[in-house]
Amino acid sequence: MIQTIRGTRDILPEEIALWHRIEAVASEGFRRYGFREIRTPIIEKTELFSRGVGESSDIVNKEMYTFTDRAREDRAGESITLRPECTASVVRSYIQHRMYADHSPGELTKLYYIGPMFRRERPQAGRYRQFFQVGAEVLGDSDDPAIEAEVIEMLDWFLGELKITDTTLLINSVGDATTRGDYLVGLREAIEPDLESYCEDCHHRYATNALRVFDCKNEACRALISRLPTITESLDEASREHFAQFRAHLDARGIGYTVRPEMVRGLDYYTRTAFEIVANSGLGAQNTIVGGGRYDGLSETLGGPPTKGFGFAFGLDRLVMALPESEAASRRAAAAPEIFIVSLGDEARAHAALVARELRRAGIAVLLDFSERKMKKALALADKLHARHALIIGENETASRRYGLKNLAEGTQESLAIDEIIAKFA
Ligand code: HAM
């Protein structure tokens, strides 16, 4: 038997109703806040991520699905990667299509995306090798911290709408990449005396970008890391002011948060504001549902014009897990057929097909039974399929054009003409 590969899974129909719900609420939030959808390819040049996400990140270092495409034999081949995230792709697209070209001063390009991402991480509950993100990016020439607060306000609305309320917003500032130098020197000095006690990955981080040691999940390293100076303590003046304004904008909106100085986020492009939203219960170790931040300069890194950027992505797989059971149950029920037609006898069965077509054209979700079943068995099947009503069509009903509509939850039944049924479900 051939099965799904490690870290990937089928999202089965029973769960899809929850995915649709989340996607629908997200799309509505994006509409209200002026984001438009973009769909970029799942495969990109490897260089996009090695430059964008950064050589020193775990993602680029260990987790990318990369292959050489030798489709054209006259070429040496091209290194291609399954996207591990989408911010770099969106910024690439922004540059490639010169979306900035007709911008008025202060005008923003607001884009969102939904789709699968790929990282070769160790699979566990809530962590997959193919997972789905919904994300949004705000690009332009403005780095106003009010933009950041507005995006978080949208997320706040979104989570509230999904009844995911037991969450914490964690925020930090990772400062300006150009003024980070002094801090990094100090950080390396602080790590050095204990370097031998750090894990192998941290040795690599120490050598390439010491800030990345904060990404380490190794228990022994974490104890050492908790004693290191944080970047937040040595922010440059402008970043400090930016962070204060960002917090004031959150305060003005009544959005609560916790400052997490050791949270630097695992991607190299972040500058200044970084944030995560964690679920306080129900998700175990993989409880970060949203991650995001500012990435001024990513466009320049990718060969584009000077651009400010801010955005986030949330993990759909994790949000589905975080939905409260009551919400999940009502969404599953909403996906069930509204009417299951039980027809008795050949003539009735032929007529039932026409009735079904008319009901469906009126917008009602209808299932037809194609097998010959006795009434009792047919009703049992309707129940099993979670249909809310059965419509009974026998010889008499076919002749009179009035059908028996049975409410399966309540056990009540009434005799109705097709127009009356349609009016009932309108
Ligand atoms: P990230 O923190 O790497 O950020 O991922 C964002 C979210 O994707 C995580 O909080 C988590 O919910 C979900 N996620 C990540 N990896 C996995 C996995 N292996 N399995 C399941 N879910 C996962 C980014 O990707 C940035 N591009 C976010 C961003 C957009 N920053 C600025 N703009």
Side-chain angles (χ1 to χ4, degrees):
M1 182 175 41
I2 300 173
Q3 301 205 339
T4 49
I5 59 177
R6 191 166 141 78
T8 71
R9 65 197 178 121
D10 301 317
I11 315 293
L12 298 173
E14 295 83 70
E15 214 189 293
I16 287 290
L18 314 186
W19 290 66
H20 284 171
R21 168 70 181 155
I22 294 171
E23 288 163 7
V25 176
S27 306
E28 176 59 16
F30 290 135
R31 187 187 70 79
R32 294 188 190 184
Y33 283 80
F35 287 83
R36 293 181 308 154
E37 186 175 358
I38 183 167
R39 300 185 188 191
T40 63
I42 283 169
I43 48 174
E44 296 266 9
K45 291 186 178 170
T46 302
E47 199 189 348
L48 174 66
F49 304 111
S50 52
R51 265 160 64 186
V53 177
E55 296 280 6
S56 68
S57 67
D58 276 3
I59 294 176
V60 171
N61 237 326
K62 308 192 284 196
E63 297 168 359
M64 294 208 301
Y65 286 96
T66 296
F67 62 98
T68 305
D69 183 5
R70 297 190 197 280
R72 279 181 51 182
E73 283 162 17
D74 56 327
R75 288 228 202 131
E78 184 169 37
S79 182
I80 284 178
T81 292
L82 297 186
R83 65 181 183 195
E85 62 107 52
C86 207
T87 307
S89 306
V90 170
V91 174
R92 178 206 40 72
S93 180
Y94 178 79
I95 300 166
Q96 184 171 338
H97 300 284
R98 298 172 54 80
M99 294 183 200
Y100 50 85
D102 63 350
H103 268 187
S104 313
E107 187 179 333
L108 301 171
T109 296
K110 302 172 94 175
L111 301 167
Y112 80 90
Y113 49 86
I114 302 180
M117 311 292 155
F118 304 84
R119 297 181 193 175
R120 194 188 287 100
E121 294 190 87
R122 200 168 50 76
Q124 60 183 88
R127 195 206 272 155
Y128 305 98
R129 291 181 166 179
Q130 171 173 332
F131 58 97
F132 290 77
Q133 281 187 346
V134 172
E137 314 293 348
V138 183
L139 298 158
D141 61 5
S142 171
D143 62 357
D144 191 335
I147 295 170
E148 301 163 10
E150 189 191 63
V151 166
I152 288 173
E153 173 195 294
M154 175 176 73
L155 282 166
D156 194 51
W157 171 83
F158 165 75
L159 292 174
E161 199 69 9
L162 292 175
K163 308 203 169 53
I164 300 176
T165 48
D166 190 15
T167 59
T168 304
L169 169 63
L170 306 174
I171 63 169
N172 192 23
S173 175
V174 296
D176 190 326
T178 56
T179 56
R180 215 176 266 163
D182 286 349
Y183 166 72
L184 289 178
V185 172
L187 180 61
R188 285 168 59 92
E189 281 169 4
I191 295 171
E192 228 229 275
D194 299 317
L195 188 57
E196 283 316 302
S197 314
Y198 281 86
C199 72
E200 208 176 298
D201 283 344
C202 279
H203 279 94
H204 178 77
R205 295 175 174 124
Y206 173 80
T208 53
N209 177 1
L211 193 62
R212 296 269 69 93
V213 298
F214 288 98
D215 299 336
C216 190
K217 296 177 183 83
N218 187 311
E219 290 272 332
C221 295
R222 292 250 49 107
L224 296 165
I225 290 161
S226 66
R227 298 199 289 270
L228 294 175
T230 63
I231 189 152
T232 323
E233 294 155 342
S234 54
L235 287 182
D236 61 283
E237 194 44 46
S239 294
R240 194 187 305 276
E241 175 58 26
H242 185 101
F243 194 42
Q245 282 185 27
F246 167 58
R247 292 193 315 256
H249 284 300
L250 290 179
D251 293 339
R253 287 168 166 80
I255 297 173
Y257 54 84
T258 303
V259 178
R260 250 314 137 73
E262 71 282 2
M263 183 185 74
V264 298
R265 309 255 315 122
L267 303 93
D268 285 350
Y269 51 59
Y270 288 115
T271 57
R272 297 193 172 166
T273 309
F275 77 97
E276 289 185 351
I277 299 177
V278 296
N280 298 328
S281 55
L283 286 197
Q286 303 305 317
N287 64 345
T288 306
I289 49 181
V290 189
R294 174 162 292 290
Y295 47 85
D296 302 344
L298 175 57
S299 166
E300 291 92 310
T301 307
L302 298 175
T307 306
K308 315 287 186 193
F310 181 81
F312 70 84
F314 65 73
L316 258 167
D317 307 77
R318 290 184 195 174
L319 271 196
V320 168
M321 292 166 72
L323 277 185
E325 191 40 47
S326 57
E327 179 72 2
S330 77
R331 293 299 145 188
R332 283 196 194 97
E338 292 168 287
I339 297 180
F340 182 89
I341 300 188
V342 177
S343 51
L344 307 160
D346 289 344
E347 199 194 335
R349 201 170 355 270
H351 184 64
L354 303 180
V355 172
R357 180 175 68 180
E358 210 160 320
L359 293 175
R360 285 166 173 158
R361 288 192 174 169
I364 304 168
V366 177
L367 271 186
L368 267 182
D369 186 8
F370 290 99
S371 57
E372 289 177 41
R373 244 179 273 268
K374 294 263 160 48
M375 174 83 99
K376 211 170 150 192
K377 289 232 161 103
L379 287 177
L381 179 58
D383 230 23
K384 181 178 162 208
L385 297 171
H386 304 295
R388 269 159 284 163
H389 298 84
L391 189 67
I392 296 154
I393 306 183
E395 231 172 83
N396 292 342
E397 286 82 359
T398 305
S400 69
R401 301 291 196 259
R402 294 189 73 81
Y403 317 103
L405 184 71
K406 191 176 170 75
N407 183 319
L408 292 171
E410 292 163 15
T412 54
Q413 187 170 331
E414 49 191 333
S415 175
L416 299 171
I418 201 146
D419 292 348
E420 293 166 327
I421 300 171
I422 290 170
K424 223 178 149 64
F425 284 84

